[in-house]
């Protein structure tokens, strides 16, 4: 049983919940988590030197709880009572940039009916706090963790939005940029002014000796635009660690004061009414010379420590791991061994995302299948965020040994994927851009909107109806998979109307070197206005997606209480998984090929699908197409087989 389950149990023993016993339950939670908090703390910060900071942390936990608004304290208890609410089939999310979606927070508020119409009830708002003007990595260089940037509105606007969203049972998710601050953050400014205390909040060094040691093994995140991992600061006359951009200073968590201060920032964010907190770039939280400084055991201990403290203060708030790392490493962010279920409740399923793009390019599902069955299963209380595209690039993070098992060379295979997606193959329908190609090791990533990467842009340019239909089918197929796989599906704003690449970033001084902006479009409200009457690709995509969203919400079998069962399809182009909750079953079948493909009924029978009339495609409510004992799946078709 993980700690959250214990807290749920303790709450369930109270017949009445309310303001009277919030303090009481806080005390119980603190004592329940205390031994774990202390062992995690002292494993990172040895007792002989840091005991006083442990006491500071405990005092801070009490202070932060006293600052949590009463309404949220009550909500926390309701959430505990509601069990694993984040595993529900009724959740469907959308990720968006507030300003690019509809001007500002007030503008977003006006669009709540749009989300309701599509069935969206979880919103991931990209960073909205203050940031440097000019380059700021889309707000991931933070000047503050809770002051809203004026271009988005005010704190009041946000609190109003949070209230309104809550009244509509909508969940809000915001980022907590836990690994770094901007160089304009108050701690960075004090460090630059010579304050040693704050210089020690970051990794700062008077000369290149230690930076050189680190750089021997630190991989570069943005090799083209920000090579190296340290930046010289003239004011401070010191080198500072900057794993991402030169203006993003890595926080030094070997200093317990940083942990305590950041816990305060985390709770302030939660106190604004945020339900899910996205722990940005959390794989990077602990650095050690001689390692790649990602996914280190200490990073996991630190995350669990944040989790255990936040759980005492605000048990209704959950954490999302943004760890875009190899499949075997992602799973660890749910917590392993004694920490199982005690790190993040939710993690991005970056593996599924990258594998789906691999299957589109290769038209084969073998790597997808192999990788999914070999990754250890996640703890029962956790869930995935399933997505196809987001504001970032697509990293080709497959396990090399799995690629070799397919008989492919990992480096050649990655080169093929870059070629396929980035207009280097005549026959490929994709239009994407190579991102951060590193000639030193041949690594590169891909940017582009899902519609453009799936061939819609090219098809429309060529006015090719057949290709347009294929692109639409691919868009709906990939979304159908994330809607049914198990976890919270998140649609990237714009994808619901097939938004194409936005090349205007090349004209913007602050964006032109970062091609991720090709997929950060301004929402096209003119297109949206025409949706009800339009008969074109946008309305086909929107309606198809909306239909699947509505279906999902009515199917308890899609709640993430039981993991997806991946079936080894005998046809290498077809991906088959089954969802089952002991009461009903659903089989999701997708053809990744441009030609019709077949599955023999005897195999369908072996996985429990009978081909009598009662089995239908739940999406179209049509009978399965069976001829000569073969189930027919047209190009890029995607069906949900269930019983009538
Ligand atoms: C995360 C964000 C990405 C950002 C990086 C640094 O990976 O998704 O957009 O550049 O963190 O904060």
């Amino acid at each position: 049983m993980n700690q959250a389950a214990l807290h749920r149990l303790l709450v369930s023993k109270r017949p009445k919940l309310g303001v009277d016993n919030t303090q009481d339950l806080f005390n119980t939670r603190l004592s329940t988590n205390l031994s774990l908090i202390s062992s995690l703390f002292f494993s990172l910060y040895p007792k002989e030197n840091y005991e006083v900071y442990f006491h500071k942390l405990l005092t801070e936990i009490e202070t932060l709880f006293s600052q949590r608004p009463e309404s949220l304290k009550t909500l926390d208890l309701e959430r505990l009572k509601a069990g694993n609410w984040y595993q529900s089939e009724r959740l469907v999310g959308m990720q968006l940039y507030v300003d690019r979606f509809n001007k500002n927070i007030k503008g977003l508020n006006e669009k709540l009916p749009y989300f309701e119409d599509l069935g969206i009830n979880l919103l991931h708002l990209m960073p909205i706090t203050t940031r440097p003007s000019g380059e700021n990595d889309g707000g991931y260089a933070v000047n503050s963790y809770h002051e809203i940037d004026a271009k988005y509105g005010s704190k009041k606007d946000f609190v109003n939005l949070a209230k309104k969203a809550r009244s509509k049972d909508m969940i809000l998710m915001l980022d907590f940029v836990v690994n770094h601050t901007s160089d304009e953050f108050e701690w960075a400014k004090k460090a630059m002014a010579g304050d040693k205390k704050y210089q020690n909040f970051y990794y700062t060094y008077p000369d290149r000796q230690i930076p050189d040691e680190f750089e021997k093994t630190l991989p570069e995140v943005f090799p083209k635009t920000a090579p190296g991992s340290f930046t010289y600061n003239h004011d401070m006359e010191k080198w500072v660690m900057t794993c991402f951009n030169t203006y993003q200073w890595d926080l030094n968590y070997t200093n317990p004061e940083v942990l305590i201060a950041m816990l305060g920032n985390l709770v302030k964010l939660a106190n604004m009414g945020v339900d899910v907190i996205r722990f940005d770039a959390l794989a990077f939280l602990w650095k050690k010379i001689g390692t790649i400084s990602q996914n280190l055991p200490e990073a996991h201990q630190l995350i669990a420590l944040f989790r255990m403290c936040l759980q005492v203060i605000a048990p209704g708030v959950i954490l999302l791991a943004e760890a875009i790392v190899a499949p075997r490493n992602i799973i660890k962010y749910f917590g392993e061994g004694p920490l199982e279920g005690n790190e993040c409740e939710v993690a991005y399923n970056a593996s599924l995302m990258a594998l789906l793009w691999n299957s589109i390019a290769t038209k084969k599902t073998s790597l997808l299948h192999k990788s999914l069955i070999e990754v250890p299963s996640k703890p029962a209380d956790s869930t995935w965020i399933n997505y196809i595209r987001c504001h970032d690039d697509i990293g080709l993070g497959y396990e090399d040994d799995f690629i070799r098992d397919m008989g492919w060379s990992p480096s050649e295979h990655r080169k093929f994927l870059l070629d396929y997606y980035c207009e280097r193959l005549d026959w490929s329908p994709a239009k994407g851009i190579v991102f951060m190609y590193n000639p030193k090791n041949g690594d590169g990533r891909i940017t582009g909107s899902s519609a453009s990467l799936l061939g819609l842009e090219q098809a429309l340019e060529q006015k090719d109806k057949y290709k347009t239909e294929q692109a639409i089918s691919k868009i709906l197929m990939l979304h159908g998979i994330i809607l049914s796989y198990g976890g919270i599906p998140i649609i990237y704003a714009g994808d619901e109307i097939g938004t194409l690449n936005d090349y205007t970033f090349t004209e913007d001084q602050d964006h032109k070197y970062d091609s991720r902006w090709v997929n950060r479009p301004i929402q096209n409200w003119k297109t949206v206005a025409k949706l009800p009457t339009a008969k074109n690709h946008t309305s086909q995509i929107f309606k198809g997606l909306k239909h699947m969203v509505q279906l999902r919400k009515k199917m308890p079998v899609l709640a993430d209480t039981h993991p997806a069962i991946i079936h080894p399809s005998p046809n290498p182009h077809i991906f088959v998984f089954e969802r089952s909750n002991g009461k009903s079953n659903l089989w999701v079948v997708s053809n990744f090929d441009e030609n019709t493909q077949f599955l023999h009924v005897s195999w369908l029978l072996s996985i429990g699908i009978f081909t009598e009339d009662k089995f239908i495609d739940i999406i179209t409510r049509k009978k399965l197409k069976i001829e000569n004992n073969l189930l027919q799946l047209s190009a890029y078709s995607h069906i949900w087989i269930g019983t009538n």
Side-chain angles (χ1 to χ4, degrees):
M1 217 182 215
N2 66 5
Q3 297 302 109
L6 288 178
H7 300 306
R8 277 199 290 275
L9 187 70
L10 290 167
V11 159
S12 70
K13 304 269 175 230
R14 308 284 174 119
K16 269 196 186 163
L17 291 176
V19 183
D20 309 342
N21 49 23
T22 48
Q23 182 66 40
D24 193 16
L25 279 162
F26 163 79
N27 295 338
T28 316
R29 286 196 301 277
L30 184 56
S31 25
T32 312
N33 280 16
L34 194 57
S35 60
L36 204 48
I37 292 178
S38 77
S39 68
L40 287 166
F41 185 90
F42 290 124
S43 66
L44 292 170
Y45 311 109
K47 197 167 185 169
E48 48 281 22
N49 304 330
Y50 294 110
E51 189 157 6
V52 49
Y53 289 99
F54 181 64
H55 293 287
K56 271 195 184 173
L57 176 66
L58 294 187
T59 312
E60 183 68 0
I61 290 176
E62 296 198 345
T63 312
L64 291 171
F65 179 70
S66 70
Q67 290 164 356
R68 184 145 173 87
E70 287 304 326
S71 59
L72 293 180
K73 287 182 183 170
T74 313
L75 181 71
D76 285 337
L77 300 184
E78 282 165 16
R79 287 264 160 83
L80 279 180
K81 279 217 146 174
N84 292 343
W85 56 272
Y86 45 85
Q87 292 183 324
S88 168
E89 73 283 5
R90 287 187 294 275
L91 281 178
V92 179
M94 180 167 271
Q95 176 192 359
L96 55 93
Y97 281 93
V98 173
D99 52 336
R100 301 178 89 77
F101 191 71
N102 194 33
K103 298 180 270 220
N104 52 27
I105 298 172
K106 279 192 179 141
L108 182 69
N109 221 323
E110 285 162 21
K111 294 295 180 190
L112 293 186
Y114 180 67
F115 302 119
E116 288 174 291
D117 177 42
L118 184 56
I120 302 295
N121 52 7
L122 181 150
L123 295 180
H124 172 202
L125 310 185
M126 302 300 287
I128 49 173
T129 56
T130 50
R131 75 283 307 275
S133 54
E135 275 189 58
N136 53 44
D137 193 14
Y140 283 96
V142 293
N143 284 1
S144 158
Y145 285 98
H146 32 83
E147 292 306 325
I148 309 285
D149 194 294
K151 86 171 180 180
Y152 297 100
S154 63
K155 197 170 255 177
K156 195 166 157 229
D157 294 338
F158 183 81
V159 172
N160 284 343
L161 173 76
K163 279 195 191 140
K164 191 145 167 215
R166 179 142 310 123
S167 73
K168 292 176 178 289
D169 271 340
M170 265 191 192
I171 301 289
L172 277 188
M173 172 158 119
L174 248 67
D175 277 89
F176 184 57
V177 187
V178 59
N179 178 65
H180 43 259
T181 73
S182 78
D183 57 1
E184 290 183 8
F185 195 86
E186 56 166 318
W187 301 337
K189 282 192 192 153
K190 287 183 181 161
M192 280 187 237
D195 189 331
K196 295 274 178 290
K197 171 176 167 174
Y198 290 100
Q199 289 185 357
N200 203 23
F201 269 45
Y202 301 95
Y203 293 92
T204 54
Y205 304 100
D207 55 43
R208 284 289 314 177
Q209 197 194 344
I210 295 178
D212 284 345
E213 284 304 309
F214 265 118
E215 282 186 355
K216 281 183 190 160
T217 49
L218 272 180
E220 294 172 324
V221 180
F222 296 132
K224 280 192 98 166
T225 47
S229 301
F230 288 84
T231 302
Y232 189 71
N233 183 270
H234 291 277
D235 292 333
M236 218 166 34
E237 296 181 339
K238 281 188 171 177
W239 291 89
V240 58
M241 185 184 275
T242 52
C243 286
F244 288 82
N245 288 296
T246 53
Y247 49 83
Q248 287 165 307
W249 289 19
D250 287 61
L251 287 163
N252 173 12
Y253 281 100
T254 64
N255 174 356
E257 285 196 74
V258 173
L259 163 76
I260 297 170
M262 286 298 280
L263 180 67
N265 284 325
L266 172 64
V267 175
K268 279 191 192 144
L269 186 67
N271 286 354
M272 283 159 57
V274 181
D275 308 289
V276 185
I277 294 193
R278 179 184 182 274
F279 252 42
D280 180 66
L282 81 179
F284 293 75
L285 284 187
W286 200 271
K287 321 291 197 291
K288 214 190 272 173
I289 289 178
T291 72
I292 63 164
S293 296
Q294 283 181 44
N295 310 311
L296 293 180
E298 292 87 345
H300 285 284
Q301 286 158 357
L302 184 64
I303 297 158
L305 186 52
F306 269 118
R307 171 87 221 111
M308 290 301 100
C309 297
L310 183 67
Q311 199 169 66
V312 171
I313 304 162
V317 178
I318 61 168
L319 295 184
L320 160 66
E322 194 253 344
I324 311 303
V325 294
R328 288 186 190 123
N329 282 327
I330 295 185
I331 205 95
K332 296 183 183 162
Y333 287 90
F334 292 123
E336 280 191 306
L339 293 183
E340 183 170 309
N342 287 330
E343 276 191 54
C344 297
E345 285 84 350
V346 196
Y348 277 108
N349 200 345
S351 316
L352 178 68
M353 179 277 297
L355 288 160
L356 290 174
W357 288 106
N358 180 74
S359 291
I360 289 286
T362 57
K363 307 190 177 82
K364 301 243 169 60
T365 57
S366 33
L367 186 64
L368 172 65
H369 178 261
K370 186 172 179 62
S371 309
L372 292 179
I373 55 167
E374 298 218 5
V375 171
S377 48
K378 62 178 174 56
D381 289 320
S382 54
T383 201
W384 292 116
I385 293 270
N386 290 313
Y387 67 115
I388 296 161
R389 286 298 289 119
C390 67
H391 67 295
D392 279 332
D393 46 289
I394 302 172
L396 307 177
Y398 317 105
E399 302 282 0
D400 282 357
D401 14 329
F402 293 170
I403 301 184
R404 280 190 209 99
D405 289 348
M406 301 287 113
W408 304 330
S409 133
S411 56
E412 284 298 307
H413 186 61
R414 290 200 172 85
K415 181 177 174 303
F416 160 72
L417 292 174
L418 288 181
D419 290 349
Y420 176 90
Y421 281 115
C422 304
E423 299 191 76
R424 292 175 180 165
L425 296 175
D426 303 348
W427 54 269
S428 167
K431 286 192 96 165
I433 301 179
V434 179
F435 182 67
M436 295 291 153
Y437 182 71
N438 189 345
K440 287 185 225 155
N441 55 17
D443 279 353
R445 285 118 74 182
I446 297 158
T447 54
S449 77
S450 65
S452 292
L453 292 171
L454 292 171
L456 187 61
E457 186 174 335
Q458 191 194 80
L460 294 174
E461 274 168 10
Q462 296 175 354
K463 299 196 172 53
D464 186 323
K465 280 198 182 140
Y466 177 71
K467 284 188 181 171
T468 305
E469 284 307 316
Q470 285 211 333
I472 295 171
S473 301
K474 283 189 258 183
I475 293 171
L476 292 175
M477 175 175 82
L478 293 192
H479 281 97
I481 293 174
I482 61 161
L483 282 162
S484 55
Y485 187 75
I488 308 172
I490 295 218
I491 299 166
Y492 185 63
D495 282 356
E496 78 285 11
I497 48 170
T499 305
L500 306 178
N501 283 345
D502 175 2
Y503 297 103
T504 57
F505 77 96
T506 53
E507 294 146 29
D508 185 321
Q509 199 49 37
D510 298 324
H511 298 163
K512 65 182 185 190
Y513 300 111
D514 186 346
S515 69
R516 290 177 298 174
W517 287 95
V518 80
N519 187 34
R520 296 174 180 176
I522 311 262
Q523 184 76 350
N524 192 334
W525 292 107
K526 282 194 187 135
T527 299
V528 172
K530 289 186 202 136
L531 284 173
T533 49
K535 287 200 169 45
N536 60 10
H537 60 280
T538 53
S539 61
Q540 242 177 295
I541 294 169
F542 187 85
K543 285 173 191 160
L545 202 53
K546 179 173 162 180
H547 176 56
M548 287 192 288
V549 168
Q550 284 170 345
L551 282 179
R552 170 188 158 91
K553 293 185 155 190
K554 285 188 242 145
M555 298 174 74
V557 69
L558 294 180
D560 197 19
T561 43
H562 294 71
I565 305 159
I566 317 288
H567 289 297
S569 153
N571 181 322
H573 304 284
I574 298 180
F575 178 47
V576 183
F577 63 86
E578 180 183 347
R579 303 299 315 282
S580 166
N581 59 2
K583 289 190 196 125
S584 54
N585 303 54
L586 182 85
W587 291 264
V588 177
V589 182
S590 313
N591 175 12
F592 278 79
D593 196 33
E594 61 194 351
N595 298 306
T596 301
Q597 292 292 336
F598 306 90
L599 283 171
H600 199 277
V601 291
S602 60
W603 184 76
L604 295 175
L605 258 170
S606 74
I607 61 162
I609 306 174
F610 294 83
T611 42
E612 59 199 58
D613 281 358
K614 88 174 188 191
F615 283 81
I616 57 162
D617 170 17
I618 302 280
I619 301 179
T620 56
R621 299 215 63 81
K622 286 193 182 147
K623 281 202 239 162
L624 304 181
K625 264 197 214 153
I626 296 181
E627 258 175 51
N628 300 328
N629 282 334
L630 294 171
L631 171 69
Q632 267 186 36
L633 293 153
S634 55
Y636 304 114
S637 60
H638 172 75
I639 58 176
W640 292 2
I641 304 180
T643 47
N644 207 342

